[in-house]
Amino acid sequence: MYVKRQKGWEIPERLATPESVYLNRRQILAASGLGLAAATLPGVASAQTDPSADLYPAARNSKYTIEREVTPESINTTYNNFYEFGTHKNIASAAEALPIRPWEVKIDGMVENEITTDFDTLIRKMPLEERLYRHRCVEAWSMTVPWTGFPLAELVKMAKPLGDATYLRMETFMMPDVATGQKQIWYPWPYVEGVSMAEATNDLAFLVTGAYGKPVAKSMGAPLRLHLPWKYGFKSIKSIVRFTFTDEQPQTFWQGLAASEYGFWANVNPEVPHPRWSQASERDLTTNERIPTQLFNGYAEYVADLYVGMEDQNIYM
């Protein structure tokens, strides 16, 4: 007899909001004018003014699900680390000042041909889909998000990296007149992150352009951010302007500040504490309950094989 065992990242489809219900709700809101009112709230992307608004909502990929309810949008758009706009969580209002049009994206380094493209041209070349992902912060809190975007592997394919490229370095914007946190000279601006090519082409690695069925909010990293659900949140760089393919492991933002606490790999592991606190459990932002942390944030079956033979490296920091 065949017995289907539920994987750690799966939930029954009945627990996720049906797409038909979600779309109908959007139509009702639009007809009543409530959609416009909601879009003008701080931290909520304005679908009415965003040139990519017609691309949302995208079809949900049922392969990527979560075992908890989706965190309310009102929480996810107003409780964020975005150091460019401040060291506290309440950066949503400040982030609204970020100009996201025009927005150029540069692809360079060890590629066949360097590319500079505007975001709206890039997004229309990519296969958009919605994925339900967990997000685990290194500070031991967590949320769940209905991201829309495309696999990072699709951008890698478009870039045509050379065979010697082993890492992908990513960089965010530099606008200190708008993002006043960038005036703090003790931080190594701009924010830089990096992944190995194996990680970049893994199925889970996702470039985010939207959330909650519309363009992603500025407070969440508009117009283009990364999400790596098996890693601590600081690896998921926001508001990306540059992708550089290289044969050298990039020096990342948090490595430059505290390499002993925030390493390059930063994979989630409940048994490996942060130097200043335990990672064994996490606080769910929806319920404020403490729940057990899972190895690789519950995505081990997708990514554990990426780190075989790396026992000599600290892959959990």
Side-chain angles (χ1 to χ4, degrees), residues 165-232:
T166 49
Y167 292 95
L168 175 57
R169 177 187 184 275
M170 291 157 284
E171 182 178 308
T172 194
F173 65 89
M174 192 66 190
M175 300 182 193
D177 290 341
V178 173
T180 56
Q182 291 182 329
K183 294 180 179 180
Q184 307 302 329
I185 60 174
W186 50 86
Y187 289 116
W189 303 113
Y191 199 104
V192 168
E193 259 305 337
V195 293
S196 69
M197 286 299 295
E199 292 174 324
T201 54
N202 182 270
D203 289 344
L204 285 183
F206 201 54
L207 282 172
V208 170
T209 64
Y212 296 93
K214 56 191 171 186
V216 67
K218 293 181 180 182
S219 61
M220 300 179 81
L224 181 66
R225 65 163 290 166
L226 179 67
H227 191 65
L228 303 170
W230 73 98
K231 294 179 178 287
Y232 291 116

Side-chain angles (χ1 to χ4, degrees), residues 258-273:
S260 62
E261 297 187 7
Y262 307 99
F264 179 82
W265 300 105
N267 295 310
V268 176
N269 189 334
E271 297 183 2
V272 179

Side-chain angles (χ1 to χ4, degrees), residues 22 25-26 38-39 43-47 50 52-53 55-58 60 70-78 80 119 123 128-133 135 143-150 206-227:
Y22 182 69
R25 178 179 179 274
R26 284 177 59 84
V44 179
S46 174
D50 192 299
S52 65
L55 299 175
Y56 303 91
R60 177 178 295 163
V70 169
T71 303
E73 181 181 9
S74 59
I75 295 176
N76 277 346
T77 54
T78 58
N80 285 289
F119 170 74
I123 191 175
L128 295 191
E129 62 183 56
E130 182 182 76
R131 295 184 181 185
L132 304 180
Y133 271 172
H135 178 90
M143 56 175 61
T144 53
V145 192
W147 296 119
T148 300
F150 56 92
F206 201 54
L207 282 172
V208 170
T209 64
Y212 296 93
K214 56 191 171 186
V216 67
K218 293 181 180 182
S219 61
M220 300 179 81
L224 181 66
R225 65 163 290 166
L226 179 67
H227 191 65

Side-chain angles (χ1 to χ4, degrees), residues 83-284:
Y83 273 57
E84 285 84 348
F85 296 100
T87 58
H88 49 82
K89 300 292 189 294
N90 302 315
I91 52 79
S93 295
E96 286 300 305
L98 180 66
I100 58 172
R101 294 298 190 284
W103 191 271
E104 285 195 340
V105 177
K106 185 173 185 178
I107 301 172
D108 63 6
M110 301 176 71
V111 294
E112 288 187 10
N113 294 293
E114 295 188 350
I115 301 169
T116 299
T117 182
D118 70 276
F119 170 74
D120 291 299
T121 299
L122 174 64
I123 191 175
R124 292 182 185 278
K125 291 180 179 179
M126 294 298 170
L128 295 191
E129 62 183 56
E130 182 182 76
R131 295 184 181 185
L132 304 180
Y133 271 172
R134 302 183 190 94
H135 178 90
R136 173 61 158 81
C137 182
V138 72
E139 298 168 345
W141 52 265
S142 63
M143 56 175 61
T144 53
V145 192
W147 296 119
T148 300
F150 56 92
L152 177 54
E154 291 292 328
L155 183 134
V156 173
K157 186 190 304 183
M158 184 183 78
K160 298 181 180 179
L162 303 180
D164 292 338
T166 49
Y167 292 95
L168 175 57
R169 177 187 184 275
M170 291 157 284
E171 182 178 308
T172 194
F173 65 89
M174 192 66 190
M175 300 182 193
D177 290 341
V178 173
T180 56
Q182 291 182 329
K183 294 180 179 180
Q184 307 302 329
I185 60 174
W186 50 86
Y187 289 116
W189 303 113
Y191 199 104
V192 168
E193 259 305 337
V195 293
S196 69
M197 286 299 295
E199 292 174 324
T201 54
N202 182 270
D203 289 344
L204 285 183
F206 201 54
L207 282 172
V208 170
T209 64
Y212 296 93
K214 56 191 171 186
V216 67
K218 293 181 180 182
S219 61
M220 300 179 81
L224 181 66
R225 65 163 290 166
L226 179 67
H227 191 65
L228 303 170
W230 73 98
K231 294 179 178 287
Y232 291 116
F234 66 86
K235 292 292 295 183
S236 294
I237 183 172
K238 299 178 175 74
S239 303
I240 306 170
V241 299
R242 187 177 182 184
F243 297 87
T244 302
F245 292 83
T246 176
D247 57 0
E248 297 182 359
Q249 188 179 103
Q251 171 75 26
T252 66
F253 180 86
W254 283 103
Q255 274 183 300
L257 285 169
S260 62
E261 297 187 7
Y262 307 99
F264 179 82
W265 300 105
N267 295 310
V268 176
N269 189 334
E271 297 183 2
V272 179
H274 184 277
R276 290 179 281 132
W277 56 80
S278 171
Q279 296 288 16
S281 67
E282 61 203 59
R283 178 173 63 92
D284 184 322

Side-chain angles (χ1 to χ4, degrees), residues 17-29:
T17 303
E19 185 174 10
S20 59
V21 173
Y22 182 69
L23 290 172
N24 186 56
R25 178 179 179 274
R26 284 177 59 84
Q27 292 166 355
I28 292 171
L29 288 173

